[in-house]
Every structure is written in C-alpha cells, then in structure tokens.
C-alpha cells in the first residue's frame, strides 16, 4: 500500500488486525483499502514482542499497521507539567505513531513498543465527541500529538467524519497537524471554519537532515495556501527549533516565506518551541540517525527532566522569532509550548497567567479566527 507523500513512498509491509474487531465495518473498510492480507491477532503481547525484538524496533514499528480498539478514552489532556506554562489542549487519540521519520521525534521513545496503530471504534469516538460538544466552554482538540494527523488519508475517511462533526457545533475547534501535503480530502468538506489545518515548520537545513519522508518547506506552504483558499483557518508550529550556526537567518527566511503565502487573518496561532527531549531519546537518535548532531548541543536538565538548551540561548532565538513574526503579523497569537514565566516575560513582555492563562489566550484566538460562539 502506498501513501501519497512528497519525498518518498512508505510501504506498509504487514497488516495486523485485532481478532476481536475482524467484523467491525471500519476495520473491514481499512483492510480493503490497504489491500494486504491481514494477520489476525488474538494476543497483542506477541506482536509487541516481535516489534521489540527487531534490531531497530522503531523502523519495524513504522512498517506494520495494527488495527484495534482504543480501550481508554479518545480524549486526553495534553501532558504538561506545573513548572511550565501549558495551554490546556486536548489530544484526540485516534491513532499512534507515524510513517515519517524525524530524528527528534519523541514518539520513538514514548510508545513501548513504537508501532503504527489505528483505532477503529468510531462509535466510542463519537460518544466522547458528544460529551466534548456538550461542554459550555471552548475546547481546542487535535489529532497530531500521538501521530501525524494526515498520514491516514488513503485508508480511511476519518478526517471527513471529524471535520463534519466539528462543523456541526460552535464551541470546539479541531486541529489537524501535519508535515505532509495530504490535503486532497479537505477540498470538498463543509468545515464551517471549525477545523484548523496546521503545519510544523522548520528550516530547510533541519528538514533535510532531520526529517525523513516529510514534505519540503515549499510543498507545506503551498498546501497551506491551498487550504487557505478553501477557507480553512491555519496554524503553524516552529517546534522543535534547532540551534546551529546560521540558524537565525534561516528561521528569518522561513518566517518571511510564510507571510508571503499566508494572510495573518487566517492564522489562529503560531507556536514556538526549542528542541527538548527525555534522556532516553538520545541513544535512539544516536543509533538511528548517526549523522545527526542535534542531541549534542548545550543542554541542561529542565524541571520536567527533559534536556533543554540553556535558557539564554532559548531566549535569544525566541526574541528574534517573536519580533519577526510581530513585524509581519502583529495580531497573530504567538505562544510557547512549555516555557516558564521568565522566558515569556523576557521575550513577550508579559506572562500568560496575568492575562487569564495561556489557554484563555488561545481560546480567544480560536473565537476570533474560527468564529466560535462560546
Ligand atoms: S512527522 Fe511528527 S510524528 Fe511523524 S516522525 Fe516526524 S515528529 Fe514524529
């Protein structure tokens, strides 16, 4: 089965299906679309063991797909820590892992074992969405935290379904976050601006050396411009920003290209975050990306036990990025994913807690750009 992606084709070599879902209509549809003979799984432990036993479990986990039920809830709060400012985002956990391959990807050491999984129990998903839509406050929800939102497009119509569900209510927005250009399905959908399509952006140097099988910067911006034409609100994430010689000029150029193609009024938010990682990721990067230099920068251990660049280095880069974005688009909400008050104060001149909290600021952006009616 081939997935449309710009740079390289991904081949799923094996399809595993939980024996308990073999008659589920969504499982049947996906099996038919993939066109591989499914291997039925009575006990997933043996599947997990087979993945873990590979020399490179991450690569094996990217070449097989397991269809099963999500037995926990589909909605989960995005994991944050008290020490850093968190944005009260909710993860819609429809699938796990990714067919693309970024050296810095946290998912390589997050799932044990890492493996492509897609959850077929849409009836439970719908029940969780009903509960979400009954809330009286604004919700920001995304499918791009445990996977890339748009890698599943050729196998399932889940995106159509989600866009439709969100279009029928007024208090929640769905964010589809991607590094692909798999936007074809979005063209005909009546989204009512309740779906935000977002791209992670980086410098061409980082994309080339650290992001295997992702779309190029030009392709991502072209896809974003196309979605803008189709009326979708957009968002962008400069995360993880990598510090290297000459990076500032490259990031400045990316910001410039972004605003040459996209109008600020359509941007709901732009996030900034420098590279951070749990220590367990370092040996994975060293083994799988031996030419990568990213885990060998000037890091300290943060309060969440993640390695981060020294704060003065982070602040220097953030200041410049925030200035360049503000120059081009003063009204666009720029925020940090997991930074502390000192960073906010020194780069933005305020701390979100003094302004109702970061969640509130992002809610306001969603209300303004997506037309929510809380
Ligand atoms: S695109 Fe995102 S989810 Fe996929 S490998 Fe890269 S960082 Fe991980």
């Amino acid at each position: 089965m081939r997935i449309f992606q710009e740079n390289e084709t991904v081949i799923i070599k094996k399809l595993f299906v939980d024996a308990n879902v073999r008659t589920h209509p969504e499982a049947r549809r996906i099996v038919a679309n993939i066109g591989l003979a499914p291997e039925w799984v009575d006990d997933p432990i043996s599947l997990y063991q087979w993945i873990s036993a590979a020399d490179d479990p991450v690569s094996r986990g990217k070449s097989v797909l397991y269809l099963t039920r999500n037995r926990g809830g589909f909605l989960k709060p995005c994991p944050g820590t008290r020490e850093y400012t968190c944005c009260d985002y909710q993860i819609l956990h429809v699938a796990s892992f990714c067919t693309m391959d970024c050296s810095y990807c946290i998912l390589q050491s997050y799932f044990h074992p890492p493996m492509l999984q897609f959850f077929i129990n849409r009836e439970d998903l719908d029940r969780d969405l009903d509960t979400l839509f009954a809330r009286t406050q604004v919700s920001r929800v995304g499918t791009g935290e445990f996977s890339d939102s748009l890698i599943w497009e050729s196998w399932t119509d889940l995106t159509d379904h989600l866009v439709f569900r969100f279009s029928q209510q007024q208090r929640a927005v769905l964010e589809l976050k991607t590094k692909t250009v798999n936007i074809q399905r979005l063209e005909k959908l009546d989204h009512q601006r309740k779906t935000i399509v977002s791209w992670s952006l980086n410098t061409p140097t980082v994309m080339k050396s650290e992001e295997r099988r992702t779309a190029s910067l030009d392709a991502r911006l072209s896809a974003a411009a196309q979605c803008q034409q189709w009326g979708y609100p957009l968002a962008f994430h400069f995360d993880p920003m990598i510090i290297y010689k000459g990076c500032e000029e490259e990031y400045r150029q990316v910001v410039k290209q972004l605003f040459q193609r996209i109008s600020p009024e359509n941007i709901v938010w732009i996030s900034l975050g420098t590279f951070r990682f749990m220590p367990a990721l370092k040996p994975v990067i060293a083994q799988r990306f031996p030419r990568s230099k990213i885990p060998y920068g000037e890091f300290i251990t943060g309060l969440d036990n993640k390695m981060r660049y020294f704060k003065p280095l982070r602040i220097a880069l953030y200041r410049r990025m925030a200035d360049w974005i503000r120059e081009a688009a003063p009204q666009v909400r720029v925020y940090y994913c997991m930074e502390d008050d000192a960073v906010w104060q020194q780069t933005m001149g305020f701390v979100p807690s003094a302004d109702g909290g970061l969640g509130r600021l992002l809610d306001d952006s969603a209300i303004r750009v997506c037309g929510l009616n809380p």
Side-chain angles (χ1 to χ4, degrees), residues 62 98-102 104-107 147-148 179 214:
K62 286 175 183 289
C98 186
T99 50
M100 292 174 280
D101 201 7
C102 303
Y104 52 74
C105 182
I106 187 177
L107 302 180
S147 181
D148 182 282
K179 288 190 183 116
T214 63

Side-chain angles (χ1 to χ4, degrees), residues 315-336:
I315 287 178
L317 183 55
Y318 285 148
R319 255 199 201 127
R320 298 190 141 234
M321 282 295 281
D323 283 352
W324 295 323
I325 295 169
R326 267 196 298 248
E327 250 167 49
Q331 73 273 44
V332 169
R333 171 61 61 198
V334 179
Y335 74 97
Y336 298 119

